[in-house]
Amino acid sequence: MTGGAVPGPDGAPRCPWGLSTPDYLPYHDEEWGRPVHGDDALFERLCLEAFQSGLSWITILRRREGFRRAFAGFRIAAVAAFTEADRERLLADEGIIRNRAKVDATLANARVLAGWEPGELDDLIWSHAPDPAARPVPRTLADVPAVTPESTALAKALKQRGIRFVGPTTAYALMQACGLVDDHLADCVARTARPAPAPAAAPAP
């Protein structure tokens, strides 16, 4: 897909990928590109993006509730405490993607993150959000990058802190999904229907 926004079932224009299957529509309209904060919430997105590597996102989206059940709601402390029996349970769970390397990376990452301070993952990820004013608004899907300098830097920072299975492309998908960047197309209703950002407060005298 390389085109611009196309009319949805209600006539409003949307990014073409958001209309490629009915399962995508609510995700496109209500979640993708909206800011996500909180260590556990970001850990979930980090894990799901890693599981998506080499697959289509719809494959993950349709299993998201299965993933949440299998991984204790992606609560970092809970996943960090998983045992070898939990690992074997995960590798037999048909409700998720039973990829040994990805399961092992998820468990290892939870153990690393369990040692971080509260809010540290949130701060690290969001410190790589680019200045929105410095980014051109995409008019077609061809204008949307797969990798950026910021996503490359984020992947490097996570790797240096011991986080596995997150390369620059996965990091950029995370940035898109969690609202660090807004890659809804210029005419997409999910962009145009949002309220304008509040003006910055005037500096104190």
Side-chain angles (χ1 to χ4, degrees), residues 7 15 38 48 76 84 86 104 107-108 111 119 122 129-130 140 191 198 201 203:
C15 304
L48 294 180
I76 293 170
E84 181 62 24
D86 288 305
D104 287 347
L107 302 185
R111 293 176 190 128
D122 190 307
T140 72
R191 175 187 283 273

Side-chain angles (χ1 to χ4, degrees), residues 83-156:
T83 64
E84 181 62 24
D86 288 305
R87 177 177 179 272
E88 294 304 315
R89 168 183 60 80
L90 293 167
L91 292 173
D93 191 335
E94 295 182 356
I96 66 171
I97 303 299
R98 294 174 291 173
N99 179 293
R100 189 176 301 272
K102 294 176 182 179
V103 167
D104 287 347
T106 300
L107 302 185
N109 289 345
R111 293 176 190 128
V112 169
L113 292 171
W116 291 20
E117 294 296 324
E120 194 170 351
L121 178 61
D122 190 307
D123 289 345
L124 174 62
I125 289 175
W126 276 90
S127 72
H128 291 80
D131 177 3
R135 289 172 51 87
V137 176
R139 302 206 64 84
T140 72
L141 293 183
D143 299 328
V144 179
V147 175
T148 64
E150 293 85 3
S151 76
T152 300
L154 174 57
K156 181 178 179 180

Side-chain angles (χ1 to χ4, degrees), residues 32-116:
W32 193 76
R34 304 294 178 94
V36 174
H37 285 282
D39 292 340
D40 290 344
L42 288 166
F43 174 60
E44 175 181 351
R45 272 56 168 201
L46 192 65
C47 294
L48 294 180
E49 294 295 348
F51 272 100
Q52 185 270 333
S53 179
L55 303 170
S56 66
W57 175 245
I58 195 64
T59 301
I60 304 302
L61 188 62
R62 287 172 174 164
R63 288 173 170 79
R64 183 164 60 171
E65 292 308 316
F67 273 105
R68 286 172 171 170
R69 287 190 296 270
F71 285 98
F74 289 101
R75 287 175 287 114
I76 293 170
V79 179
F82 276 14
T83 64
E84 181 62 24
D86 288 305
R87 177 177 179 272
E88 294 304 315
R89 168 183 60 80
L90 293 167
L91 292 173
D93 191 335
E94 295 182 356
I96 66 171
I97 303 299
R98 294 174 291 173
N99 179 293
R100 189 176 301 272
K102 294 176 182 179
V103 167
D104 287 347
T106 300
L107 302 185
N109 289 345
R111 293 176 190 128
V112 169
L113 292 171
W116 291 20

Side-chain angles (χ1 to χ4, degrees), residues 147-194:
V147 175
T148 64
E150 293 85 3
S151 76
T152 300
L154 174 57
K156 181 178 179 180
L158 289 167
K159 183 177 180 180
Q160 288 175 336
R161 298 291 302 275
I163 302 302
R164 295 159 49 183
F165 230 102
V166 183
T169 302
T170 297
Y172 192 65
L174 174 76
M175 294 170 71
Q176 291 175 304
C178 296
L180 281 74
V181 297
D182 184 356
D183 277 344
H184 284 287
L185 302 185
D187 297 327
C188 176
V189 67
R191 175 187 283 273
T192 60
R194 294 185 196 178

